[in-house]
Amino acid sequence: MRIVFMGTPDFAVASLAALVEAGYEVVGVVTVPDKPAGRGRKLQASAVKQYAQSKGLPVLQPERLKDLTFLEALQALKPEVQVVVAFRMLPKEVWQLAPTFNLHASLLPKYRGAAPINWAIIHGEKETGVTTFFIDEQIDTGNIIFQDTEPIDDYDTVGTLYERLKHKGAALVLRTVQAIEWGRCPSVPQQGEATQAPKIFRDTCHIDWHRTSAELYNFIRGLSPYPAAWTTWQGKNLKIYWALRPDQEPYEPKWWQHLQPGEWATDQKRFALVRTGDGYLSVKKLQIEGKRPMDIDEFLRGHTL
C-alpha cells in the first residue's frame, strides 16, 4: 500500500518510524520548508525531514499546499492512503486524493485545535488520549476511526505526557493503516460536547497570581517545559517550570497569609513561596531572563528575593 506521510515536529517522527519499521511503503513525505533557527539563523530542517532523509524517503516541502507544482508532484506519487500527524490544515485538493486520516492528541471532540496536550493539563483533566479520524473540510471534526485513552498523572507536565502520547499515537497510526489495508476501518461521527484547544501565544502564558493555587499548579505544568509560564521579577522575565501546591508542600505557621498575590517569601536558602489567590505555590524550578533553568536552591544562591 502506497503511503504519503505529512508531518513536521518530533511528535510526528514516532508515527512515521512506526510505518517504516513495520515495512510499509512510504512513497513520499510532506513537511514544511526549512526555516532559520538559532543564533546563526541557519536553515534547519524539520524533525520529520531529518528522519525521512536518514531513511532515504522522498521529501516534498511546499510553501503553499494549493500550489499546482506540489499537487502534481503529490498526484505522481499515487498515494493509496495519506497519514497526517502534526501538520497544517489540508485543502480539499490534497485530502481528496486518497483516504486521508489525521492523528490528534486528544479524545475528540474534546480539545480540538493546535494545543490539546497543553489545555488538557491546564484544565486539570485526569484523562486524555489519542484519536485517528478522517479529514474533512473543518478542523478536527471528521469521523473517528480509533481512540486510545491515557491517564494524566497529578505530576505530569506537557513534556512527560507528550512523550507517552507520541508513542501511543504511533501505535494507533499503525493500527489505523492496517484497518484501511484490510478494509475493516470504522468511520463514526464525533459525539459529545466539543471543546477547543487554541494555539498558545506568549500572552497566554502570563501568570495571574490572583488565581487559586490548584489552577496555577495546572497552568504551570500545562506549559512546562515549553513554552513555559512566566511572570516578572525586578523588571525581568522569569519562567517557572515547576511549583508545588500547599497540600504537596505545606509550610507552617501561615505567615504567608499576610502577603499579597504575586509577592514572594523565602528563607534565601531552600524555598521560595509566591502568594496566590487562596494560598501559595512553592517554586521549584525557574529561569531568569538571560540565564539557564535552575532549581530553586541554586537560584537563591545567586539572587536575593
Side-chain angles (χ1 to χ4, degrees), residues 33-283:
D34 297 355
K35 295 181 178 180
R39 291 183 179 179
R41 307 303 292 167
K42 293 182 179 179
L43 288 179
Q44 182 171 329
S46 71
V48 162
K49 179 181 177 180
Q50 292 177 43
Y51 176 82
Q53 289 183 322
S54 74
K55 298 299 179 179
L57 303 175
V59 177
L60 299 176
Q61 295 178 272
E63 290 281 354
R64 295 177 63 254
L65 296 178
K66 290 185 178 182
D67 182 80
L68 185 59
T69 303
F70 165 66
L71 292 174
E72 290 174 347
L74 189 60
Q75 289 172 341
L77 294 174
K78 298 179 180 179
E80 294 175 274
V81 64
Q82 298 184 118
V83 181
V84 183
V85 182
F87 194 56
R88 291 179 269 178
M89 184 177 180
L90 300 184
K92 196 171 185 179
E93 295 90 333
V94 173
W95 58 261
Q96 280 195 329
L97 284 177
T100 304
F101 74 86
N102 188 87
L103 171 69
H104 189 71
S106 79
L107 298 175
L108 291 173
K110 295 191 73 173
Y111 298 107
R112 292 172 176 167
I117 304 176
N118 300 87
W119 288 109
I121 295 178
I122 289 171
H123 289 159
E125 299 283 0
K126 300 301 181 184
E127 182 182 72
T128 187
V130 286
T131 302
T132 52
F133 67 96
F134 286 112
I135 289 179
D136 62 14
E137 294 181 354
Q138 298 185 30
I139 297 176
D140 301 337
T141 60
N143 285 4
I144 289 173
I145 305 170
F146 294 123
Q147 292 186 317
D148 196 2
T149 60
E150 177 68 22
I152 301 177
D153 185 81
D154 194 35
Y155 287 89
D156 265 326
T157 64
V158 166
T160 59
L161 186 57
Y162 175 101
E163 284 298 315
R164 297 204 304 278
L165 291 180
K166 177 174 71 174
H167 296 292
K168 180 157 284 193
L172 202 67
V173 164
L174 191 58
R175 179 185 171 195
T176 303
V177 168
Q178 291 169 342
I180 294 174
E181 182 182 25
W182 298 338
R184 300 176 181 176
C185 186
S187 180
V188 181
Q190 295 186 25
Q191 298 179 348
E193 182 181 357
T195 58
Q196 302 302 312
K199 185 176 180 178
I200 290 176
F201 297 95
R202 184 177 184 277
D203 287 347
T204 313
C205 305
H206 185 230
I207 300 172
D208 178 2
W209 293 109
H210 290 84
R211 296 170 66 184
T212 68
S213 299
E215 288 173 334
L216 290 174
Y217 173 74
N218 291 335
F219 183 77
I220 288 170
R221 67 193 185 102
L223 296 169
S224 178
Y226 182 82
W230 63 275
T231 187
T232 54
W233 176 72
Q234 293 188 356
K236 293 185 177 182
N237 290 334
L238 188 71
K239 292 181 178 180
I240 298 182
Y241 295 102
W242 188 245
L244 295 177
R245 304 182 306 249
D247 61 301
Q248 296 167 319
E249 190 162 284
Y251 283 92
E252 297 291 347
K254 295 183 177 181
W255 43 264
W256 48 265
Q257 290 181 333
H258 300 290
L259 302 175
Q260 295 298 312
E263 290 185 341
W264 294 66
T266 178
D267 66 351
Q268 206 55 52
K269 293 180 181 178
R270 296 175 296 104
F271 73 83
L273 312 181
V274 190
R275 183 71 156 96
T276 65
D278 68 343
Y280 63 85
L281 286 182
S282 178
V283 177

